[in-house]
Amino acid sequence: MTIRAARFTPEVLLSAPRRSAGVPNANGSKVLYTVSTYSFAEHSGGSEVRVLDTATQESTVLTDAGGSEPNWIGDQVLMLVSGSNGTTDVLVGPTNDFANSNYTAGNIDASASSVKLAALEDGSYAIAFAALAKPDGSLYNAEKAPAPTSSGRLYRAMFVRHWDTWITPNRNAIFFAKLSRGSSNSTSGNSYAMSDPVNALKGTELESPVPPFGGTDHFDISTSGLIFVARDPDLNPATNTKMNVYYSRLTFSETTAPAPVNISVPGFDSAASSPVFSPNGMSAAFLKMRQNGYESDKNQIFIVPDVGRPDSIVPMLATADGIGQWDRSPSSIAWSHDGQTLYLLADDLGSVPLWSLSVNTGAGSRLPQLLAKQGSFNSIRPLSTGDVFVSGTSLVDNSAYYLVSPDATGIQRVVSSNSRNGTAFGLSRSQVSEVWWPGAANGTRIHAWVFKPSTFKENATYPLAYLIHGGPQSAWEDSWSTRWNPAVFAEQGYVVVAPNPTGSTGYGQAFTDAIQNQWGGLPYEDLVLGWEYISQNMNYIDTDRAVALGASYGGYMMNWIQGHDLGRVFKALVTHDGVFSMAGQMASEELYFPEREFGGPFWNNTENWLRWDPARFTHNWATPHLIIHSELDYRLTISEGLAAFHLLQDKGVESQFLTFPDENHWVLNRENSLLWHTVVLDWINAHVGLPKYSEQSSNGRALKREADMTSPQDEVVGGIRDLKL
């Protein structure tokens, strides 16, 4: 880190170097990673691929020319770099002189990503990557594709668009090739050269990685071939979540791929993820859910002891009723170096720890053991030494690398902290605490994170920022975010309370499942009880100066709160991409989601859908309300935000509407995100008596707009089009 912030602001959050998960070499002595930076002064950014020497803590730039996907290939580095005309170059070179000694091992005639490598017995490497393929199975290059003569799209079935993209005939595919030693354009004369890539999914009607978020967690390669997950091709993805696990036996010298074999798991008809080969390539493990249509069902663990017999599966921690013994839902798996242990990441009480599970446990009673818990881990890399290298974040640190020993519980060593455990941001772990209160359902307890200002004084009082998470099957975790970061609000002078009400993950599957048919019920009651707990027990919070904010389901909850009694205790509300009308959810491409949540299709369950409809209670809307909704959000369409804003305006309720034509469910562009933060902070600060953010900083002042109440004026200032009326 080259910065030290006197105060943590949106500019600091958004311009801070963003570091990827680390990719260690076999013994963990060196770590590859990418880092991106941005300057609001210059309105530009850059990215680098770097290598960290863990002994000396020296970090060296390998390239700043747009490299990505760094991987170890022996003691050298392989990475992808965008080539000309939409192609991708595969570069290989040494870490000590990559800039001058790298060479092109191959060229991919498309935009490629999600690289995986596997060492083969003859000293060569198998390489697999993801890229778009045309209907005939060949690589799709967007820059070389002929321009259409018409903009029309004709669809004959559902799933016409997803997340932020309209569905086209081109599909994600996994391509494989072989990197062999031989003469090339390297001066060593003993460099790697890549064979022509082969589409492993050609002619199958399968798509993997599954959009929009699938990547290397959707496939793996080894000496024995390829394992991957894909949606069931016989089911409509708009109303089904079923994904299958497939195995292809490969020698990596084929010019065509054999037909993949479906690894069927009876009784488990929903999503699948994290297929991984054992170190010797002879076994595999993966995660799968039971209930089709329920994307937040519990992941359960399966092992294929012999991939040559893919019909022989061992369910780990199984029970006769199919629920499984372990009451946590793992999100990622990795094999230990000796192949005897599975390492897992799974939500637990507002964090994501590292767990271990003996492969020999099978359906036995020994549950996964907690190995390390520090913030939220997001990547597992077992080392040849037997230790485990993990990457993660926390509420005060945007990237940290750790070494964990399986022989001892807890962190063995902090390899590297991107922000020096938050001190580079002016943040401290002492600002973070936790509270619990009794929930609405019998026997439940609600957990919440509390984030105080760095200037906190015991004898002072502070306004409340009540943050409600999305999902709804999700959770506020001890992790970093560039979109909803509690520290940003705390450093404005708020005490932030971020609760995990009914429906949240990491508190047992029954707690997660309990939100079904309860969207405005139990979670709302949990939040009301939270408000009562805060009022009675946290005397440093001034509940007369409180605001509430939420996105996605959290945005739904803001709209629901607005129509109910809790809405009257807040000075202002903020809804980001939330639900206004349940009937409007028929416009979503993921119909399986509301159909599962509300007990079936809209036409058969209309009353149940409308039971929790915020639009039914708009006669109560009275609290000042900022609505944010972007045009590329195809899951919660922009009409939801417009309807809410129009209703507020029509009723004469103080309100604003912020939209971005180029953003989806999230605001990702850093300039857009700075504007988002400025508008949000200006809105809530003005309603609790804090200075507007646009009056505090140079970037904020650039976005400040003076109201002109006398005549309409359309003005573009600081990147925002402000229609003054």
Side-chain angles (χ1 to χ4, degrees):
M1 295 285 294
T2 58
I3 65 167
R4 180 176 176 83
R7 183 185 180 204
F8 189 65
T9 65
E11 289 95 334
V12 175
L13 168 71
L14 299 171
S15 61
R18 300 183 186 182
R19 191 170 69 169
S20 70
V23 182
N25 60 0
N27 62 13
S29 61
K30 293 182 179 180
V31 180
L32 297 169
Y33 63 95
T34 62
V35 61
S36 65
T37 56
Y38 192 83
S39 167
F40 284 106
E42 299 178 2
H43 302 290
S44 64
S47 64
E48 299 172 341
V49 177
R50 303 181 71 97
V51 60
L52 172 70
D53 186 306
T54 60
T56 65
Q57 290 293 294
E58 180 181 358
S59 177
T60 305
V61 177
L62 298 183
T63 179
D64 59 2
S68 64
E69 309 277 341
N71 276 266
W72 293 100
I73 182 165
D75 58 359
Q76 299 186 76
V77 178
L78 178 147
M79 69 178 71
L80 302 183
V81 175
S82 296
S84 59
N85 298 319
T87 64
T88 303
D89 291 327
V90 180
L91 302 187
V92 177
T95 59
N96 60 357
D97 189 29
F98 187 89
N100 298 312
S101 302
N102 76 79
Y103 61 91
T104 301
N107 179 266
I108 302 167
D109 191 19
S111 176
S113 64
S114 303
V115 168
K116 281 199 168 182
L117 298 172
L120 303 177
E121 295 177 355
D122 60 0
S124 61
Y125 280 80
I127 180 172
F129 60 86
L132 278 177
K134 292 184 282 190
D136 65 4
S138 61
L139 285 162
Y140 172 77
N141 187 319
E143 292 190 22
K144 296 180 179 180
T149 57
S150 170
S151 61
R153 302 184 183 99
L154 177 64
Y155 295 91
R156 293 181 173 87
M158 281 194 300
F159 216 61
V160 301
R161 60 184 190 177
H162 194 210
W163 192 251
D164 58 5
T165 304
W166 288 86
I167 303 300
T168 73
N170 307 309
R171 297 286 185 270
N172 280 352
I174 303 166
F175 291 81
F176 67 90
K178 191 173 183 179
L179 290 157
S180 303
R181 292 276 195 179
S183 60
S184 183
N185 51 1
S186 168
T187 55
S188 70
N190 192 28
S191 60
Y192 290 98
M194 189 177 79
S195 62
D196 291 335
V198 178
N199 184 348
L201 277 60
K202 183 177 180 179
T204 63
E205 299 185 1
L206 300 175
E207 182 173 28
S208 186
V210 179
F213 305 120
T216 54
D217 60 328
H218 279 190
F219 70 95
D220 198 18
I221 58 169
S222 74
T223 54
S224 66
L226 174 73
I227 189 170
F228 64 94
V229 300
R231 291 191 185 102
D232 191 307
D234 297 325
L235 299 176
N236 191 308
T239 52
N240 295 273
T241 56
K242 186 180 181 185
M243 295 165 63
N244 300 324
V245 182
Y246 297 90
Y247 169 67
S248 291
R249 174 65 179 164
L250 302 174
T251 63
F252 297 100
S253 59
E254 299 96 331
T255 56
T256 59
V261 176
N262 183 358
I263 302 176
S264 178
V265 186
F268 283 75
D269 296 324
S270 190
S273 61
S274 199
V276 284
F277 283 110
S278 61
N280 65 9
M282 296 297 104
S283 302
F286 58 87
L287 301 173
K288 209 164 193 319
M289 298 178 179
R290 286 193 306 150
Q291 302 178 58
N292 187 16
Y294 186 25
E295 61 183 355
S296 298
D297 197 8
K298 184 170 70 174
N299 269 321
Q300 299 194 46
I301 308 161
F302 295 87
I303 289 181
V304 185
D306 180 0
V307 293
R309 298 176 55 215
D311 57 341
S312 177
I313 301 172
V314 176
M316 304 292 283
L317 309 172
T319 56
D321 59 9
I323 294 175
Q325 297 179 52
W326 194 34
D327 200 18
R328 290 297 180 265
S329 181
S331 58
S332 184
I333 314 177
W335 291 79
S336 62
H337 184 69
D338 62 8
Q340 298 303 304
T341 302
L342 292 178
Y343 296 117
L344 313 167
L345 298 181
D347 291 14
D348 182 62
L349 307 182
S351 66
V352 184
L354 177 68
W355 312 77
S356 67
L357 176 66
S358 171
V359 171
N360 297 321
T361 296
S365 60
R366 190 169 188 267
L367 298 177
Q369 303 299 298
L370 183 66
L371 273 188
K373 186 171 185 175
Q374 181 138 342
S376 295
F377 300 135
N378 53 42
S379 174
I380 318 168
R381 298 275 182 165
L383 305 177
S384 62
T385 60
D387 293 332
V388 186
F389 179 94
V390 290
S391 303
T393 71
S394 73
L395 282 165
V396 298
D397 195 348
N398 70 346
S399 172
Y401 302 150
Y402 305 96
L403 204 62
V404 176
S405 171
D407 300 324
T409 300
I411 300 296
Q412 177 181 334
R413 180 163 64 93
V414 179
V415 176
S416 171
S417 169
N418 199 37
S419 67
R420 298 192 295 276
N421 198 31
T423 59
F425 297 141
L427 301 177
S428 166
R429 191 68 195 179
S430 64
Q431 295 174 247
V432 181
S433 59
E434 304 169 62
V435 295
W436 294 79
W437 60 78
N442 290 336
T444 60
R445 298 177 68 230
I446 307 305
H447 173 239
W449 290 103
V450 179
F451 208 115
K452 299 175 182 177
S454 56
T455 56
F456 180 82
K457 294 179 175 58
E458 292 289 345
N459 59 354
T461 59
Y462 300 85
L464 168 69
Y466 209 25
L467 302 186
I468 313 304
H469 68 67
Q473 294 92 351
S474 181
W476 292 119
E477 293 170 340
D478 187 3
S479 62
W480 191 259
S481 172
T482 55
R483 297 193 308 276
W484 287 88
N485 192 306
V488 164
F489 298 94
E491 293 306 274
Q492 287 293 300
Y494 295 89
V495 170
V496 177
V497 177
N500 287 326
T502 298
S504 300
T505 56
Y507 303 88
Q509 191 62 37
F511 189 78
T512 302
D513 295 344
I515 197 173
Q516 185 179 23
N517 284 318
Q518 283 288 324
W519 269 39
L522 290 175
Y524 172 76
E525 294 170 28
D526 291 339
L527 297 177
V528 172
L529 291 169
W531 172 265
E532 294 174 358
Y533 176 89
I534 293 166
S535 301
Q536 297 167 12
N537 297 278
M538 304 173 77
N539 57 10
Y540 50 85
I541 292 179
D542 182 357
T543 52
D544 289 332
R545 295 192 298 149
V547 294
L549 310 88
S552 195
Y553 173 80
Y556 160 88
M557 184 53 71
M558 291 303 101
N559 295 343
W560 183 261
I561 284 173
Q562 173 71 281
H564 291 78
D565 291 346
L566 189 59
R568 306 292 77 79
V569 306
F570 296 110
K571 295 298 184 184
L573 302 171
V574 177
T575 290
H576 175 106
D577 286 27
V579 175
F580 172 76
S581 167
M582 284 303 182
Q585 298 318 291
M586 286 301 300
S588 172
E589 78 282 6
E590 295 181 351
L591 282 180
Y592 59 77
F593 179 66
E595 288 185 357
R596 190 269 170 188
E597 294 296 291
F598 307 121
F602 181 75
W603 63 88
N604 280 341
N605 297 269
T606 306
E607 184 177 347
N608 209 36
W609 279 53
L610 298 184
R611 178 186 181 192
W612 306 115
D613 191 341
R616 289 180 55 216
F617 302 94
T618 52
H619 55 279
N620 294 326
W621 286 31
T623 301
H625 205 149
L626 168 63
I627 305 293
I628 306 169
H629 218 112
S630 296
E631 293 187 31
L632 295 184
D633 189 346
Y634 296 158
R635 294 171 70 250
L636 291 169
T637 61
I638 192 171
S639 60
E640 299 292 289
L642 286 168
F645 177 62
H646 289 170
L647 186 286
L648 290 160
Q649 289 280 299
D650 203 23
K651 287 198 70 178
V653 179
E654 182 186 356
S655 50
Q656 292 182 3
F657 179 70
L658 174 64
T659 186
F660 298 95
D662 55 347
E663 298 284 2
N664 54 37
H665 199 55
W666 303 327
V667 177
L668 302 177
N669 176 281
R670 295 197 216 203
E671 298 282 355
N672 288 347
S673 186
L674 178 58
L675 175 60
W676 184 98
H677 281 86
T678 302
V679 171
V680 169
L681 294 177
D682 274 4
W683 175 258
I684 60 175
N685 288 5
H687 285 90
V688 299
L690 293 174
K692 288 186 175 182
Y693 181 65
S694 61
E695 298 170 354
Q696 300 173 32
S697 69
S698 58
N699 277 290
R701 286 193 295 271
L703 297 171
K704 191 178 187 319
R705 287 139 347 252
E706 297 295 336
D708 182 353
M709 303 300 293
T710 59
S711 62
Q713 181 181 359
D714 193 8
E715 183 180 3
V716 178
V717 180
I720 185 171
R721 181 175 293 276
D722 185 11
L723 184 60
K724 301 173 182 177
L725 298 174

